[in-house]
Amino acid sequence: MSETKSVLLVGVGGQGIILASKILSEGLIQLGYDVKMSEIHGMAQRGGSVTTQIRYGEKVYSPIIDRGEADVILAFEKVEALRSLPHLKKGGKLLINDHEIYSLPVLIGQQAYPENIIDKIREQVEHVKAFDAVSMAEELGNIKTQNMILLGALIKALELDHVEWSELVRDHLPEKVHDLNLKALEAGMNV
């Protein structure tokens, strides 16, 4: 691989974005890539915006993804997908969890949650895949596995699904949840 790939993960605190980013980064390192990752947390750990930037290739000098540079964006929440659009490069892929998390201004009635977000994004982006990872996680038995479903979809989009990711998932999670999270990862790869 001669070029550097840039992957942006966006969402809301408490959705497991950092864990998914760490697993992806470690997998990329095991594949022999130079990997740089940075994370930005909103003012609130839970409920605030969370962004991780991952860049990988033969040699990467910075983890920072500027506007128009992301090859793939994985959005754990719809408004965060909309907010991250300027970072997507022309021809890039956008994966969206079709899920809404209301900010405090929306909850207290000061603002309305935007309508038809995915339709608006599809008007601007050619490669959009939207799916409901929350419902999929609930069907598996635990909503907390939505991050593994989303990670699985990202791995597929990056064409890294030939790699054995199960050991990395086991390394980062307690043994009692291994089976469930591995099922979630596989479900995401099949989205």
Side-chain angles (χ1 to χ4, degrees):
M1 174 185 206
S2 60
E3 67 176 303
T4 299
K5 291 279 189 185
S6 299
V7 182
L8 185 64
L9 289 85
V10 298
V12 175
Q15 289 190 287
I17 298 162
I18 303 296
L19 175 62
S21 299
K22 287 181 179 176
I23 292 172
L24 178 63
S25 294
E26 287 186 25
L28 292 167
I29 289 168
Q30 286 185 8
L31 286 169
Y33 293 115
D34 185 23
V35 179
K36 301 286 188 282
M37 176 187 148
S38 71
E39 52 190 76
I40 300 168
H41 303 256
M43 290 298 285
Q45 289 285 320
R46 184 169 295 273
S49 293
V50 174
T51 301
T52 61
Q53 301 183 353
I54 300 170
R55 299 187 73 225
Y56 66 97
E58 283 184 23
K59 184 65 184 165
V60 179
Y61 296 98
S62 169
I64 305 302
I65 301 171
D66 286 328
R67 294 168 74 92
E69 286 188 350
D71 295 284
V72 179
I73 295 176
L74 174 62
F76 284 59
E77 199 277 334
K78 291 193 294 190
V79 164
E80 297 301 324
L82 195 58
R83 204 184 319 249
S84 70
L85 267 187
H87 282 83
L88 189 65
K89 72 169 25 173
K90 187 171 182 165
K93 297 178 184 174
L94 180 56
L95 306 173
I96 306 173
N97 183 11
D98 190 357
H99 181 62
E100 298 175 359
I101 296 177
Y102 301 128
S103 64
L104 182 60
V106 172
L107 289 172
I108 62 174
Q110 288 182 343
Q111 293 179 355
Y113 190 90
E115 294 181 1
N116 305 318
I117 291 175
I118 293 175
D119 292 338
K120 291 175 184 170
I121 289 173
R122 282 197 166 115
E123 291 171 3
Q124 302 174 54
V125 178
E126 182 179 351
H127 306 290
V128 177
K129 180 173 266 190
F131 55 96
D132 187 348
V134 172
S135 293
M136 293 172 66
E138 287 172 341
E139 285 177 21
L140 288 173
N142 190 330
I143 192 172
K144 291 181 180 177
T145 62
Q146 69 176 300
N147 65 336
M148 289 300 113
I149 292 170
L150 291 162
L151 176 62
L154 178 60
I155 287 168
K156 183 78 172 186
L158 293 171
E159 300 177 1
L160 299 170
D161 51 328
H162 60 287
V163 177
E164 182 57 55
W165 293 92
S166 58
E167 198 62 38
L168 288 166
V169 170
R170 288 187 184 99
D171 288 347
H172 285 83
L173 293 167
E175 186 175 345
K176 64 182 179 184
V177 296
H178 284 173
D179 290 344
L180 185 60
N181 280 278
L182 291 173
K183 286 179 186 172
L185 186 74
E186 185 178 338
M189 288 184 186
N190 292 322
V191 167

